[in-house]
Amino acid sequence: MAMARDAAPLLDHTRCCVVGGGPAGMVLGLLLARAGVAVTVLEKHADFLRDFRGDTVHPSTLQILDEIGLGEDFARLPQRRVEQLSAVIGGRAQPIADFRGLRPYGHVALVPQWDLLNLLAGAARRYPTFELRLRHAATALVRDGGRIAGVDIATPEGPRRLSADLVVACDGRHSTLRAAAGLVPREFGAPMDVLWFRLPRRAGDPPDAFGIVERGRMMVLLDRGDAWQAAYLVAKGGDAALRARPLQVLRADVAALAPFLADRTAAIADWDAVKTLSVQVNRLARWHLPGLLLIGDAAHAMSPIGGVGINLAIQDAVAAANALAAPLAAGGPIDEALLAAVQRRREWPVRLVQRVQIAAQQRLIARVLQAEGPAPRLPAALRWLLGFRAVRRIPARLVGYGVRPEHVRSPATEPPG
Ligand SMILES: Cc1cc2nc3c(=O)[nH]c(=O)nc-3n(C[C@H](O)[C@H](O)[C@H](O)COP(=O)(O)OP(=O)(O)OC[C@H]3O[C@@H](n4cnc5c(N)ncnc54)[C@H](O)[C@@H]3O)c2cc1C
């Protein structure tokens, strides 16, 4: 392999190097190891503990966990189950989606992302060909002629190089490897950013998850057991202006939107307790180069609408494993045509979901966030239709199972012992 003279010490060689231990990277790492492939997952953090990440595990992902044999272990994780979504629009309660009766799963599970990632890591570690290296940040791609042949890594012991027959970038929306590959996603824009914070939840509070929509303001509340996880929307770029004002402004707004929370807004102790998600919607035109595949947020950042980010990242990982596990296990070169097939399979569902999200952002959220706009309300015909549970199951099915749901078809070996 042609490497620069000043190359970092070689760490090792692996068949597949997965960069990023998020939902996409951990599911792919597990599925490849399960198929007997030597796989190394690099994660730049020391653990999976990160607050306010995607915590919504949809029925499509619950099905995948069943297919991997982790359904029962997942069900034992502390979680809340959301069966219905509703909204309070202009002061009027409106049921929107109803997951009850959908098969095989009639709910969305709310689980801290680190619990899901630890579960996946634990399952993957049972396979001798799996390796997870924490505090290993990929810094650059290694090229061999026209092919990607590994990554340079910052490790606690200094710079290292890992050579690999295939590198899969699962390093999220700010992907280092995407930039290193010279791939630039097309940005579709978003009219809002989201501020995340928690408030205590008390007996007698409303159940499940619901949105509150008023002229100029919008907030979504997710039932996390003893707490509400609140997503408060601000117009794009409005975060800095809001943070420059006293915290009381946010507290008062939250109390006005959800009067039942007025007695506990002091629980938002300071601005550090409020985490901003800068909403991005983007997509790469090309998800691969010879020796390199990008999936999950690295290939397509999703709007938070529908909470589909984790679930689509996991679907990408399943599709990648379905296409690549057997050829990787067989040895021999990995043809770029195989990587292109993964993009072809996943791009269509991603495009469709993004199109719906962009339409909702433009037609609904941008209008609501205009303080001078008309008071938000649903058309009477839609309100009437949503009065039927069968109709409310349609958005639930679309959000919960999506389009072209993936199923695990990669080969499975038994873990030793
Ligand atoms: C505040 C917030 C709230 C969200 N809420 C939701 C939600 O409710 N529901 C939902 O479905 N989605 C939500 N999302 C989006 C969701 O988290 C992502 O879509 C999903 O996690 C994407 O998975 P991924 O594996 O592609 O990337 P990520 O989850 O971003 O994982 C990337 C991983 O790569 C690691 N990494 C990055 N660079 C390197 C490097 N150079 N070397 C090694 N490791 C690296 C990171 O530390 C990270 O662990 C939210 C996102 C944020 C930021």
Side-chain angles (χ1 to χ4, degrees), residues 177-307:
L177 295 194
R178 183 177 67 201
L183 299 172
V184 180
R186 178 176 169 200
E187 297 290 341
F188 298 99
M192 79 290 197
D193 287 329
V194 181
L195 306 188
W196 291 97
F197 49 90
R198 280 205 179 80
L199 288 167
R201 189 169 172 279
R202 300 204 180 125
D205 283 357
D208 271 346
F210 61 101
I212 306 165
V213 184
E214 292 284 345
R215 182 190 288 142
R217 295 181 299 206
M218 199 166 168
M219 181 166 72
V220 176
L221 293 172
L222 303 175
D223 170 0
R224 304 304 301 264
D226 55 358
W228 286 106
Q229 183 174 332
Y232 176 90
L233 274 64
V234 290
K236 192 88 189 159
D239 175 49
L242 184 60
R243 283 177 187 267
R245 302 179 69 189
L247 188 58
Q248 193 50 35
V249 174
L250 174 66
R251 290 180 180 147
D253 220 20
V254 169
L257 271 167
F260 73 95
L261 295 174
D263 57 353
R264 51 197 115 143
T265 56
I268 313 171
D270 51 33
W271 280 114
D272 288 343
V274 180
K275 158 117 184 163
T276 303
L277 167 64
S278 174
V279 176
Q280 276 181 299
V281 186
N282 63 33
R283 192 174 63 242
L284 282 175
R286 184 185 168 120
W287 300 16
H288 53 88
L289 292 176
L292 174 70
L293 174 68
L294 299 97
I295 60 170
D297 273 19
H300 50 77
M302 309 300 293
S303 166
I305 295 172

Side-chain angles (χ1 to χ4, degrees), residues 44 47 59 96 151 157 169 235 239 343 373:
K44 69 179 179 183
D47 54 37
I96 303 283
V151 288
E157 292 77 40
D239 175 49
Q343 172 175 356

Side-chain angles (χ1 to χ4, degrees), residues 62 65-66 69-77 79 105 119:
L62 296 172
L65 291 169
D66 272 346
L70 290 178
E72 287 179 15
D73 291 338
F74 180 85
R76 279 195 285 273
L77 294 177
Q79 59 189 275
Y105 285 100
L119 176 73

